[in-house]
Amino acid sequence: MAISSRNRALEYVSRIEFHQSIILPANSEAGRPSPIRITYSDLDYRLEDRKENGPVVLVIGGMFGGRYMSMGSWDGLAKKHKLRCIVPDKFGLGGSGAVPLEYRIQAWLDMVPALLAHLHVKHVAIITHSNGTIYTLNTLLQLRHILHPTRPFVAFLAPWVHPSHSGSLTALSLVPDGMLNKWPSIAKFMNTNVAPMFMFSGQVVNSITESMLPGAQLEAPGQEDYDPELRMMFRDLERLVTKVFLEGSTIDPFPENISGGADEAILTLKRGDKWTWGLFADTDEAVSMVVSQERGLASVANSSQNGLRQEKLRIAVFFAESDIMIGKKGQEWFNQCWQSQDISDVIFYTSETVPHSSHETICGPEQGIFATLFKDIALSFG
């Protein structure tokens, strides 16, 4: 009997590498009175032979971007370019346990080194999307040692900029505080198993609020690297997701959690009095701190007697051509954060706009950004 495309798709997304987990120990001072589970995907090209060590990429997703982002294309790219790709779920999302809003950033900074130690990974390159910018800047400031010692690299895709700088009045930014606090109730409607895998950032919230659900779809693999049968599988899942959004149907067997979306939205928008972006209040302050930190590291390295030289931190930014979340004004402001002073002594900064891309589709395989980044990282780290 022939296997349906739906069953092939379900078999594919059930692969063990997409459903890994660790336990983050309790820490009452960091809002974790009990241990919590952290789920992640681990796309390891060495599945058959783990003797070889290759480059490792840590992907820090947007508002809802977690391990399901890695399905459909990244695993094939990881194998092709011989690198390992790790994608954790944030707290209260996917299969990861929740933490109080005020400890969200600290819990991330506790989780990342614990996860890398569990996987025996010392250094990573980072790719981040949307509000992952907040987590990534904190990682740069407090976990700088996890970047490669001679080829430190971070890529920002459609980076988040607060509306106070972008002027973008998206549906998400207009949602009243009371509605954000009731997000778990709204999430019950959306938490119909397959849906979370397509929610890369807050854009899905805009679509829902603006009653544009029929436009929701999954980008299917479109590069020559991807199996045509896999493309068919994901087209089948696209139809299932549309059914979920329009009819509230339930699709087994993916009971995933998105209740943490409330805290993600509050954190991203700086609502209420419990949010914190960690050591900084906004991106411009964080960038200044990163630059100062890099100069300090360079000074120490250059004054040492071992002949080591601090390599420049490479920052690559990819803006969406059409980004309703931050607009052109937000993109210019983000650039200005890095370019308002001469940082060329310690940071190699580049930015470009990806043609025909939006805030969401910039992560899709048809844009080819991940294919380009994986290839670049593999060549640089090889």
Side-chain angles (χ1 to χ4, degrees):
M1 179 181 296
I3 301 176
S4 69
S5 61
R6 178 186 187 277
N7 286 340
R8 288 200 306 270
L10 295 177
E11 181 180 6
Y12 171 78
V13 299
S14 298
R15 283 164 41 182
I16 189 64
E17 58 262 41
F18 298 129
H19 305 284
Q20 298 290 304
S21 66
I22 62 168
I23 300 300
L24 189 63
N27 184 343
S28 298
E29 295 182 357
R32 300 191 307 277
S34 301
I36 63 172
R37 179 174 178 247
I38 302 295
T39 48
Y40 64 96
S41 65
D42 181 12
L43 310 182
D44 190 349
Y45 77 98
R46 308 170 306 150
L47 287 176
E48 297 179 358
D49 181 5
R50 294 179 180 271
K51 295 180 181 179
E52 182 182 1
N53 291 318
V56 182
V57 177
L58 173 66
V59 177
I60 305 176
M63 187 174 295
F64 291 93
R67 71 190 198 280
Y68 280 108
M69 290 177 66
S70 60
M71 296 179 180
S73 60
W74 298 359
D75 56 328
L77 291 171
K79 291 182 177 67
K80 177 179 179 179
H81 298 294
K82 292 189 175 182
L83 55 74
R84 189 176 186 180
C85 180
I86 301 166
V87 192
D89 286 326
K90 293 178 188 171
F91 306 100
L93 297 169
S96 290
V99 296
L101 171 62
E102 58 268 35
Y103 295 108
R104 202 166 182 84
I105 297 298
Q106 183 56 54
W108 172 267
L109 295 171
D110 291 344
M111 181 273 290
V112 169
L115 175 58
L116 297 185
H118 172 74
L119 297 174
H120 305 288
V121 171
K122 291 184 177 181
H123 302 113
V124 299
I126 295 176
I127 300 176
T128 187
H129 175 233
S130 190
N131 89 324
T133 299
I134 302 166
Y135 294 84
T136 300
L137 289 172
N138 274 282
T139 302
L140 267 175
L141 287 170
Q142 301 193 57
L143 300 175
R144 176 61 172 80
H145 61 280
I146 71 172
L147 294 183
H148 196 282
T150 60
R151 292 173 291 279
F153 176 73
V154 178
F156 292 87
L157 278 61
W160 169 252
V161 171
H162 192 269
S164 61
H165 304 296
S166 68
S168 295
L169 294 178
T170 63
L172 178 59
S173 64
L174 294 174
V175 174
D177 288 355
M179 183 66 75
L180 288 176
N181 290 329
K182 293 178 181 178
W183 179 268
S185 297
I186 301 173
K188 290 180 181 179
F189 170 77
M190 298 170 60
N191 191 16
T192 46
N193 309 310
V194 172
M197 73 177 72
F198 307 105
M199 299 175 186
F200 291 169
S201 73
Q203 180 63 43
V204 70
V205 183
N206 290 316
S207 298
I208 292 170
T209 310
E210 295 167 359
S211 301
M212 296 180 64
L213 293 178
Q217 64 179 10
L218 168 67
E219 292 279 33
Q223 304 293 327
E224 64 276 8
D225 299 320
Y226 314 137
D227 190 329
E229 288 192 8
L230 183 58
R231 189 179 303 118
M232 185 180 297
M233 295 180 199
F234 273 75
R235 287 304 182 192
D236 191 74
L237 275 183
E238 179 181 342
R239 290 190 290 271
L240 292 176
V241 170
T242 300
K243 184 176 178 64
V244 166
F245 279 143
L246 294 179
E247 301 178 17
S249 302
T250 298
I251 302 174
D252 293 328
F254 302 108
E256 295 288 325
N257 182 25
I258 58 170
S259 61
D263 285 348
E264 277 290 277
I266 293 170
L267 174 72
T268 302
L269 294 171
K270 303 181 180 180
R271 295 288 186 85
D273 57 3
K274 291 186 177 181
W275 67 272
T276 173
W277 279 18
L279 294 178
F280 53 89
D282 216 326
T283 302
D284 52 351
E285 182 183 0
V287 171
S288 294
M289 295 171 70
V290 169
V291 173
S292 296
Q293 176 178 264
E294 292 302 307
R295 286 182 173 145
L297 292 171
S299 177
V300 171
N302 294 336
S303 63
S304 67
Q305 301 299 315
N306 57 17
L308 294 178
R309 183 172 63 89
Q310 176 71 19
E311 296 295 331
K312 292 183 181 180
L313 170 63
R314 182 182 167 200
I315 301 288
V317 179
F318 298 87
F319 293 118
E321 183 175 53
S322 176
D323 192 333
I324 67 170
M325 297 293 284
I326 69 169
K328 295 298 181 185
K329 182 178 179 182
Q331 293 174 349
E332 293 171 358
W333 186 83
F334 190 84
N335 261 339
Q336 188 63 19
C337 288
W338 296 93
Q339 297 176 331
S340 61
Q341 59 174 307
D342 183 9
I343 60 175
S344 60
D345 54 322
V346 289
I347 296 176
F348 180 70
Y349 179 85
T350 61
S351 67
E352 62 182 89
T353 299
V354 180
H356 313 299
S357 64
S358 69
H359 190 83
E360 296 308 316
T361 63
I362 196 169
C363 288
E366 273 123 1
Q367 300 300 337
I369 298 302
F370 273 87
T372 299
L373 288 172
F374 279 18
K375 180 180 180 180
D376 183 47
I377 292 170
L379 291 174
S380 297
F381 284 60

